[in-house]
Amino acid sequence: MNFKKIDFFYFIGIGGMGMSSIARYFHTMGKTVCGHDKNKTFLTKKLEKEGISINYHDSIEILPKWVLSKQCLIVYTPAIPSHHKQWMYLKKYGKNVKKRSQVLAFITENEICIAIGGTHGKTTTCTLLGHILYSSGMNITAFLGGISENYKSNLILNHVLNGRKIFLVEADEFDHSFLYLSPNIACITSFDQDHVDIYPRKENLKKAYIAFSNRIKKPYKKIFLCQEESCRFNNAIYYSVLQGENYYSDHLNIKENKWYFDFHTPTETWKSLPLPIPGQHNLKNVTAALAISDYLKIPKEKIRKALFLFKGIKRRYSIHYQSSNKIYIDDYAHHPTEINALISTVRECFPNKKILGIFQPHLFSRTKFFEKSFAKSLEHLDILILLDIYPAREFPINGTNSNSLLEKIKMSSKEISTFSKVLEKIEKKHFDIILTMGAGNIDTLIIPIKEWLYKRYG
C-alpha cells in the first residue's frame, strides 16, 4: 500500500494498545488521524492531548466527511463487535478498509523488521530492545504492546539521517495476526497455550508459529528462540537462562533488593549487569533483548548503559506504593503462568510478607479453559479478592463465571467483589502487599488504591 496517497486515517477501536501506536505513527507523519472508542481512558486522553480527535458514541452521523474518500484508510481491530454501527457502515461503504495487523505489515514490508512473538514476555522484550536501539542512535521505529516508562508512549521513534531504518514490532498470535508480517529477524519468547478461542489445542498454536517462522526473510533471516521452550527450529539462535546456549544468562543474585546477573555471548561474558525488572521470567526477556542487540553489533558499553537506564513498562511489575510496612504492585498478569511468575517474584523480593491479591479474569474462554490452573496459581496468595470476568470481545459462557472459579480455589481467605466494594474489602484485611492482576479494566483501581494507601499509611 502506498501511504503517500493516503491523507486521512480513521481507527475503529483507537484506544487499544496496538491500534493507538499505529495511530500515533501516522499522526507524527503529518497525516489527519482520528477514530472511535467506546470508553474514554488514560490512553485515549493522551492521544487527544497529542492532537488526535476521538469520538465515543457509536453513531454514523459523527463520522468525518472524508471517511468514505479514496484518500482515507479505515483501520479496525478484530475486537470490534459485528453489530457496531460505525463498523457495519464503514465496512460496507469505505474505500480502503484494513485490519490493524495488515496495516502494520504494510508499514514494515520494505524495511528491516524485527518481530517479537510469544505467549508471555513479548512486550517486555520488545520495549527493552527498542530502548537499547534508540539509546544506541539507531534509526528505529518501535510499536509496543505497552507504555514505556522511558518514553511515556507505546511508540518509540528515532529518525536519524544515517543508517537503514529498522522497524520493531510485536508479533501478535491472536487471530493469526502475526502471519501478515514478514520479518527479517524474529524472536519467540514462549509457546505456552493461550487464545484458546483461536487455538483450541496447543498443536494449533505450534503450527501457527511454524508458519510464522517460514515468513522470515533475507537479509538476516534469523530466529531467536528460548532454549527452555519445547519447540525447535532449524538454524535458530538459542538463548537461555542457566543453560550454555548461543546466548545465556546466569549468576542471578539480589543485593539490597536489586537484581544482578551475568550475560554470556558466543565470545565473551558481561559481568554484573542490572536486571531492571525483577524475576527469573524477566531475566529470560532481558536475555532475548541483549542477544538480538549483540547480534546487531550494538557496542557492549551502549547496551549496558541502556539497560541501567531502563525504567520498565506500565503494568509490568509496577510498584505504585512502598512504605516501611505496605507495598502495592500492579501487573498485567492474566494467564496462570504469568500469575505464578509474578507471585514467585514478589515472594523472592519480599519474603515472609502477607500478600493480598486482587484478580480480574480476562475472557470467558480463557477462564473456562484454564480454570483449574488459575485456581492453583491463585492459591499461592494469602488473601484473594476476585472480580467478575472481563468479557472483552466475548459473550458469556454458561457455567463459567467468577463464582465457579472461586469454588475451585482451595484457600481460606477468598471472596468475590464488585469494583465499587474493593476498597471497603481491602480496609478489613490484614496484609503487607497488595497485588492487582489482570488485562481488563482493573487498572482503573490503581489510583483509588494508591490514594487510600497514602491517606491511611502516609
Side-chain angles (χ1 to χ4, degrees):
M1 174 170 280
N2 187 356
F3 291 118
K4 290 181 180 178
K5 295 182 179 180
I6 303 295
D7 298 316
F8 308 99
F9 291 82
Y10 190 81
F11 288 78
I12 312 174
I14 195 169
M17 194 62 70
M19 292 282 277
S20 58
S21 63
I22 298 176
R24 277 178 159 141
Y25 172 74
F26 286 117
H27 182 65
T28 63
M29 291 175 63
K31 305 290 187 178
T32 299
V33 177
C34 68
H36 165 83
D37 209 276
K38 63 179 180 179
N39 295 314
K40 189 178 283 260
T41 64
F42 168 80
L43 192 46
T44 60
K45 290 175 184 175
K46 284 274 289 180
L47 294 176
E48 288 179 297
K49 282 185 179 179
E50 292 166 19
I52 296 174
S53 176
I54 302 175
N55 63 72
Y56 298 94
H57 300 287
D58 184 15
S59 168
I60 296 169
E61 287 72 24
I62 60 176
L63 289 170
K65 294 179 181 179
W66 43 256
V67 77
L68 299 182
S69 72
K70 291 181 180 180
Q71 288 74 43
C72 174
L73 177 63
I74 297 157
V75 187
Y76 72 96
T77 167
I80 292 293
S82 58
H83 60 271
H84 191 276
K85 293 176 184 176
Q86 285 191 14
W87 169 227
M88 288 191 295
Y89 177 77
L90 294 174
K91 182 169 59 171
K92 185 174 182 178
Y93 298 108
K95 302 298 186 298
N96 301 298
V97 182
K98 299 294 180 184
K99 191 188 294 188
R100 181 199 69 87
S101 50
Q102 291 175 294
V103 176
L104 191 60
F106 287 136
I107 293 170
T108 61
E109 63 183 348
N110 295 318
E111 304 290 349
I112 295 296
C113 177
I114 304 172
I116 310 296
T119 314
H120 320 294
K122 54 182 173 284
T123 295
T124 300
T125 304
C126 192
T127 305
L128 175 57
L129 179 58
H131 171 65
I132 291 171
L133 298 180
Y134 179 93
S135 301
S136 304
M138 302 286 280
N139 191 344
I140 177 74
T141 301
F143 298 91
L144 311 177
I147 302 297
S148 163
E149 294 285 11
N150 288 82
Y151 307 96
K152 305 301 180 187
S153 178
N154 52 358
L155 178 70
I156 300 176
L157 283 170
N158 191 31
H159 291 165
V160 295
L161 295 177
N162 297 321
R164 186 169 182 181
K165 184 180 290 186
I166 295 176
F167 282 91
L168 174 62
V169 303
E170 292 191 24
D172 186 4
E173 71 274 15
F174 171 67
D175 198 35
H176 298 92
S177 292
F178 62 171
L179 296 184
Y180 288 105
L181 295 169
S182 296
N184 303 90
I185 296 173
C187 175
I188 302 175
T189 60
S190 57
F191 285 100
D192 213 354
Q193 191 168 9
D194 198 8
H195 296 303
V196 293
D197 52 335
I198 308 296
Y199 309 103
R201 295 185 298 117
K202 193 167 185 178
E203 189 62 26
N204 303 128
L205 181 66
K206 185 176 178 179
K207 286 180 180 178
Y209 271 108
I210 290 171
F212 170 64
S213 71
N214 291 333
R215 295 184 63 81
I216 301 170
K217 64 185 180 183
K218 294 180 179 180
Y220 297 117
K221 200 175 182 180
K222 290 295 181 183
I223 185 167
F224 287 75
L225 296 174
C226 182
Q227 171 65 26
E228 282 78 9
E229 300 296 332
S230 58
C231 207
R232 306 287 293 188
F233 290 89
N234 293 328
N235 302 317
I237 297 175
Y238 286 92
Y239 66 92
S240 172
V241 172
L242 303 180
Q243 299 184 36
E245 285 296 330
N246 305 104
Y247 291 93
Y248 68 99
S249 296
D250 59 8
H251 297 147
L252 182 63
N253 62 92
I254 305 174
K255 299 175 184 175
E256 297 178 356
N257 213 30
K258 293 183 179 179
W259 297 53
Y260 299 89
F261 67 100
D262 294 343
F263 174 67
H264 304 263
T265 77
T267 59
E268 61 181 330
T269 297
W270 305 355
K271 291 282 189 179
S272 196
L273 296 176
L275 184 66
I277 310 176
Q280 188 89 6
H281 59 300
N282 280 314
L283 181 57
K284 286 183 183 180
N285 303 328
V286 170
T287 302
L290 297 186
I292 297 171
S293 299
D294 180 71
Y295 178 77
L296 292 172
K297 303 188 185 313
I298 305 298
K300 176 175 66 175
E301 296 75 18
K302 291 186 177 181
I303 295 174
R304 182 185 286 268
K305 183 178 179 181
L307 191 63
F308 180 77
L309 295 175
F310 185 63
K311 296 177 182 178
I313 310 108
K314 282 187 183 298
R315 305 218 62 226
R316 282 9 178 232
Y317 201 88
S318 299
I319 299 178
H320 290 282
Y321 179 87
Q322 187 167 4
S323 66
S324 58
N325 59 351
K326 301 293 177 191
I327 300 163
Y328 170 36
I329 301 170
D330 174 64
D331 196 274
Y332 192 69
H334 59 284
H335 185 284
T337 300
E338 296 165 353
I339 293 170
N340 282 329
L342 172 63
I343 296 173
S344 175
T345 300
V346 172
R347 292 211 180 275
E348 196 164 359
C349 289
F350 307 102
N352 305 315
K353 298 292 185 182
K354 196 171 186 179
I355 303 174
L356 161 62
I358 305 166
F359 176 58
Q360 181 188 43
H362 185 263
L363 296 176
F364 293 101
S365 59
R366 181 183 284 128
T367 306
K368 180 180 180 180
F369 189 88
F370 291 111
E371 197 169 47
K372 291 182 180 178
S373 298
F374 273 125
K376 289 292 183 186
S377 62
L378 293 168
E379 285 167 8
H380 295 301
L381 297 165
D382 298 296
I383 308 165
L384 171 65
I385 296 175
L386 191 62
L387 301 172
D388 286 334
I389 297 171
Y390 186 81
R393 58 188 178 269
E394 292 185 339
F395 292 106
I397 297 174
N398 258 350
T400 299
N401 51 55
S402 290
N403 283 304
S404 65
L405 175 58
L406 194 73
E407 287 174 5
K408 291 178 171 59
I409 300 170
K410 297 176 182 178
M411 57 190 296
S412 56
S413 184
K414 60 177 185 177
E415 61 182 305
I416 290 176
S417 175
T418 61
F419 269 68
S420 61
K421 297 287 185 181
V422 166
L423 285 179
E424 183 181 313
K425 291 183 181 294
I426 291 174
E427 289 177 0
K428 298 175 182 177
K429 308 296 183 185
H430 297 288
F431 64 88
D432 301 303
I433 298 171
I434 295 177
L435 290 183
T436 47
M437 302 169 287
N441 61 347
I442 191 171
D443 59 320
T444 58
L445 289 175
I446 294 173
I447 292 176
I449 291 174
K450 281 174 62 175
E451 289 177 346
W452 175 77
L453 286 167
Y454 277 107
K455 185 177 179 180
R456 179 78 174 266
Y457 300 102

Short mmCIF file of all heavy atoms in Angstrom, two decimals, residues 291-320:
data_model
loop_
_atom_site.label_atom_id
_atom_site.label_comp_id
_atom_site.label_asym_id
_atom_site.label_seq_id
_atom_site.Cartn_x
_atom_site.Cartn_y
_atom_site.Cartn_z
N ALA A 291 20.58 -10.51 23.46
CA ALA A 291 21.10 -11.38 22.40
C ALA A 291 20.90 -10.74 21.02
O ALA A 291 21.82 -10.72 20.19
CB ALA A 291 20.40 -12.73 22.45
N ILE A 292 19.71 -10.20 20.77
CA ILE A 292 19.45 -9.56 19.48
C ILE A 292 20.31 -8.31 19.32
O ILE A 292 20.85 -8.03 18.24
CB ILE A 292 17.95 -9.22 19.35
CG1 ILE A 292 17.12 -10.51 19.37
CG2 ILE A 292 17.68 -8.44 18.06
CD1 ILE A 292 15.63 -10.28 19.47
N SER A 293 20.46 -7.54 20.40
CA SER A 293 21.30 -6.33 20.36
C SER A 293 22.74 -6.67 20.02
O SER A 293 23.38 -6.00 19.19
CB SER A 293 21.24 -5.61 21.71
OG SER A 293 19.93 -5.21 22.02
N ASP A 294 23.27 -7.73 20.64
CA ASP A 294 24.65 -8.14 20.35
C ASP A 294 24.76 -8.64 18.92
O ASP A 294 25.76 -8.34 18.22
CB ASP A 294 25.08 -9.23 21.33
CG ASP A 294 26.51 -9.69 21.08
OD1 ASP A 294 27.44 -8.90 21.36
OD2 ASP A 294 26.70 -10.82 20.57
N TYR A 295 23.76 -9.39 18.46
CA TYR A 295 23.77 -9.89 17.08
C TYR A 295 23.79 -8.74 16.07
O TYR A 295 24.42 -8.83 15.01
CB TYR A 295 22.54 -10.77 16.86
CG TYR A 295 22.43 -11.31 15.45
CD1 TYR A 295 23.21 -12.38 15.03
CD2 TYR A 295 21.54 -10.72 14.55
CE1 TYR A 295 23.11 -12.87 13.74
CE2 TYR A 295 21.44 -11.20 13.24
CZ TYR A 295 22.22 -12.28 12.84
OH TYR A 295 22.13 -12.75 11.57
N LEU A 296 23.13 -7.63 16.41
CA LEU A 296 23.12 -6.45 15.55
C LEU A 296 24.37 -5.58 15.72
O LEU A 296 24.46 -4.50 15.15
CB LEU A 296 21.87 -5.60 15.85
CG LEU A 296 20.52 -6.22 15.45
CD1 LEU A 296 19.37 -5.37 15.97
CD2 LEU A 296 20.42 -6.40 13.95
N LYS A 297 25.30 -6.09 16.55
CA LYS A 297 26.59 -5.43 16.77
C LYS A 297 26.47 -4.07 17.46
O LYS A 297 27.25 -3.14 17.20
CB LYS A 297 27.38 -5.29 15.46
CG LYS A 297 27.63 -6.61 14.75
CD LYS A 297 28.57 -6.46 13.58
CE LYS A 297 28.71 -7.76 12.79
NZ LYS A 297 28.93 -8.96 13.59
N ILE A 298 25.50 -3.95 18.35
CA ILE A 298 25.42 -2.75 19.20
C ILE A 298 26.57 -2.85 20.21
O ILE A 298 26.76 -3.90 20.84
CB ILE A 298 24.08 -2.68 19.95
CG1 ILE A 298 22.90 -2.76 18.98
CG2 ILE A 298 24.00 -1.41 20.80
CD1 ILE A 298 22.82 -1.64 18.00
N PRO A 299 27.38 -1.80 20.39
CA PRO A 299 28.50 -1.87 21.32
C PRO A 299 28.06 -2.23 22.74
O PRO A 299 27.02 -1.77 23.22
CB PRO A 299 29.10 -0.46 21.26
CG PRO A 299 28.70 0.06 19.93
CD PRO A 299 27.34 -0.51 19.66
N LYS A 300 28.87 -3.04 23.39
CA LYS A 300 28.57 -3.52 24.74
C LYS A 300 28.34 -2.38 25.71
O LYS A 300 27.43 -2.44 26.55
CB LYS A 300 29.72 -4.42 25.23
CG LYS A 300 29.57 -4.91 26.66
CD LYS A 300 30.68 -5.88 27.03
CE LYS A 300 32.03 -5.23 27.06
NZ LYS A 300 33.10 -6.16 27.53
N GLU A 301 29.13 -1.33 25.62
CA GLU A 301 29.00 -0.21 26.56
C GLU A 301 27.65 0.49 26.41
O GLU A 301 27.04 0.92 27.39
CB GLU A 301 30.14 0.80 26.34
CG GLU A 301 31.53 0.26 26.63
CD GLU A 301 32.06 -0.68 25.55
OE1 GLU A 301 31.51 -0.66 24.41
OE2 GLU A 301 32.99 -1.46 25.84
N LYS A 302 27.19 0.61 25.17
CA LYS A 302 25.89 1.25 24.94
C LYS A 302 24.75 0.38 25.45
O LYS A 302 23.75 0.88 25.98
CB LYS A 302 25.71 1.56 23.46
CG LYS A 302 26.62 2.66 22.93
CD LYS A 302 26.31 3.01 21.49
CE LYS A 302 27.19 4.17 21.01
NZ LYS A 302 26.88 4.54 19.60
N ILE A 303 24.87 -0.92 25.29
CA ILE A 303 23.84 -1.85 25.78
C ILE A 303 23.78 -1.79 27.30
O ILE A 303 22.70 -1.71 27.89
CB ILE A 303 24.13 -3.29 25.31
CG1 ILE A 303 24.03 -3.37 23.78
CG2 ILE A 303 23.16 -4.27 25.97
CD1 ILE A 303 24.43 -4.73 23.20
N ARG A 304 24.93 -1.81 27.96
CA ARG A 304 24.97 -1.78 29.42
C ARG A 304 24.36 -0.48 29.95
O ARG A 304 23.57 -0.50 30.91
CB ARG A 304 26.41 -1.91 29.92
CG ARG A 304 26.55 -1.93 31.43
CD ARG A 304 28.02 -1.94 31.85
NE ARG A 304 28.64 -3.21 31.62
CZ ARG A 304 28.71 -4.19 32.53
NH1 ARG A 304 28.15 -4.02 33.72
NH2 ARG A 304 29.32 -5.32 32.26
N LYS A 305 24.68 0.63 29.31
CA LYS A 305 24.14 1.92 29.75
C LYS A 305 22.62 1.95 29.57
O LYS A 305 21.88 2.41 30.46
CB LYS A 305 24.79 3.06 28.97
CG LYS A 305 24.33 4.44 29.42
CD LYS A 305 25.04 5.55 28.64
CE LYS A 305 24.55 6.92 29.09
NZ LYS A 305 25.22 8.01 28.33
N ALA A 306 22.14 1.47 28.42
CA ALA A 306 20.69 1.46 28.16
C ALA A 306 19.97 0.58 29.17
O ALA A 306 18.89 0.92 29.65
CB ALA A 306 20.42 0.98 26.74
N LEU A 307 20.57 -0.55 29.52
CA LEU A 307 19.98 -1.46 30.49
C LEU A 307 19.88 -0.79 31.85
O LEU A 307 18.87 -0.89 32.56
CB LEU A 307 20.82 -2.73 30.58
CG LEU A 307 20.23 -3.92 31.34
CD1 LEU A 307 18.96 -4.41 30.70
CD2 LEU A 307 21.26 -5.05 31.43
N PHE A 308 20.93 -0.08 32.22
CA PHE A 308 20.96 0.62 33.51
C PHE A 308 19.90 1.71 33.58
O PHE A 308 19.31 1.95 34.64
CB PHE A 308 22.35 1.22 33.73
CG PHE A 308 22.51 1.95 35.03
CD1 PHE A 308 22.68 1.27 36.22
CD2 PHE A 308 22.45 3.34 35.07
CE1 PHE A 308 22.81 1.94 37.42
CE2 PHE A 308 22.58 4.03 36.26
CZ PHE A 308 22.76 3.32 37.45
N LEU A 309 19.61 2.36 32.44
CA LEU A 309 18.66 3.48 32.41
C LEU A 309 17.23 3.05 32.08
O LEU A 309 16.34 3.89 32.04
CB LEU A 309 19.13 4.52 31.38
CG LEU A 309 20.45 5.23 31.70
CD1 LEU A 309 20.85 6.14 30.55
CD2 LEU A 309 20.38 6.01 33.00
N PHE A 310 17.01 1.77 31.86
CA PHE A 310 15.68 1.30 31.51
C PHE A 310 14.74 1.38 32.71
O PHE A 310 15.03 0.87 33.78
CB PHE A 310 15.76 -0.14 31.01
CG PHE A 310 14.46 -0.71 30.51
CD1 PHE A 310 13.84 -0.16 29.40
CD2 PHE A 310 13.87 -1.79 31.14
CE1 PHE A 310 12.64 -0.69 28.92
CE2 PHE A 310 12.67 -2.33 30.67
CZ PHE A 310 12.06 -1.78 29.56
N LYS A 311 13.57 2.03 32.51
CA LYS A 311 12.65 2.27 33.61
C LYS A 311 11.46 1.30 33.65
O LYS A 311 10.63 1.37 34.55
CB LYS A 311 12.12 3.71 33.53
CG LYS A 311 13.19 4.77 33.69
CD LYS A 311 12.60 6.16 33.53
CE LYS A 311 13.68 7.23 33.64
NZ LYS A 311 13.11 8.60 33.44
N GLY A 312 11.37 0.43 32.65
CA GLY A 312 10.30 -0.56 32.66
C GLY A 312 9.11 -0.16 31.82
O GLY A 312 9.14 0.76 31.01
N ILE A 313 7.99 -0.90 32.06
CA ILE A 313 6.76 -0.73 31.29
C ILE A 313 5.59 -0.62 32.27
O ILE A 313 5.57 -1.30 33.29
CB ILE A 313 6.51 -1.94 30.35
CG1 ILE A 313 7.76 -2.24 29.53
CG2 ILE A 313 5.30 -1.71 29.45
CD1 ILE A 313 8.46 -3.49 29.95
N LYS A 314 4.66 0.25 31.94
CA LYS A 314 3.46 0.36 32.79
C LYS A 314 2.75 -0.99 32.86
O LYS A 314 2.61 -1.68 31.88
CB LYS A 314 2.50 1.40 32.23
CG LYS A 314 2.90 2.84 32.53
CD LYS A 314 1.81 3.80 32.11
CE LYS A 314 2.23 5.25 32.32
NZ LYS A 314 2.50 5.57 33.72
N ARG A 315 2.32 -1.33 34.07
CA ARG A 315 1.57 -2.55 34.34
C ARG A 315 2.42 -3.81 34.17
O ARG A 315 1.92 -4.90 33.96
CB ARG A 315 0.30 -2.67 33.50
CG ARG A 315 -0.66 -1.49 33.62
CD ARG A 315 -2.12 -1.92 33.61
NE ARG A 315 -2.44 -2.77 34.74
CZ ARG A 315 -3.13 -3.91 34.66
NH1 ARG A 315 -3.59 -4.32 33.49
NH2 ARG A 315 -3.38 -4.64 35.73
N ARG A 316 3.74 -3.69 34.24
CA ARG A 316 4.63 -4.84 34.32
C ARG A 316 5.45 -4.68 35.59
O ARG A 316 6.42 -3.94 35.63
CB ARG A 316 5.56 -4.92 33.12
CG ARG A 316 5.08 -5.46 31.76
CD ARG A 316 3.65 -5.70 31.58
NE ARG A 316 3.29 -6.17 30.24
CZ ARG A 316 2.36 -5.61 29.50
NH1 ARG A 316 1.71 -4.53 29.92
NH2 ARG A 316 2.03 -6.13 28.32
N TYR A 317 4.99 -5.32 36.66
CA TYR A 317 5.61 -5.20 37.97
C TYR A 317 5.81 -3.73 38.35
O TYR A 317 6.89 -3.27 38.68
CB TYR A 317 6.96 -5.95 38.02
CG TYR A 317 7.39 -6.30 39.42
CD1 TYR A 317 6.99 -7.50 40.00
CD2 TYR A 317 8.21 -5.45 40.16
CE1 TYR A 317 7.40 -7.84 41.29
CE2 TYR A 317 8.61 -5.77 41.45
CZ TYR A 317 8.20 -6.96 42.01
OH TYR A 317 8.60 -7.29 43.28
N SER A 318 4.72 -2.98 38.27
CA SER A 318 4.76 -1.54 38.57
C SER A 318 4.50 -1.31 40.06
O SER A 318 3.40 -1.59 40.55
CB SER A 318 3.72 -0.79 37.75
OG SER A 318 3.97 -0.93 36.37
N ILE A 319 5.49 -0.82 40.76
CA ILE A 319 5.35 -0.53 42.20
C ILE A 319 4.77 0.88 42.34
O ILE A 319 5.40 1.87 41.98
CB ILE A 319 6.68 -0.65 42.94
CG1 ILE A 319 7.23 -2.09 42.82
CG2 ILE A 319 6.51 -0.27 44.42
CD1 ILE A 319 8.57 -2.30 43.49
N HIS A 320 3.55 0.96 42.86
CA HIS A 320 2.86 2.24 42.98
C HIS A 320 2.92 2.83 44.39
O HIS A 320 2.66 4.02 44.58
CB HIS A 320 1.39 2.09 42.57
CG HIS A 320 1.21 1.85 41.11
ND1 HIS A 320 1.28 2.85 40.17
CD2 HIS A 320 0.97 0.71 40.41
CE1 HIS A 320 1.09 2.35 38.96
NE2 HIS A 320 0.90 1.05 39.08
#
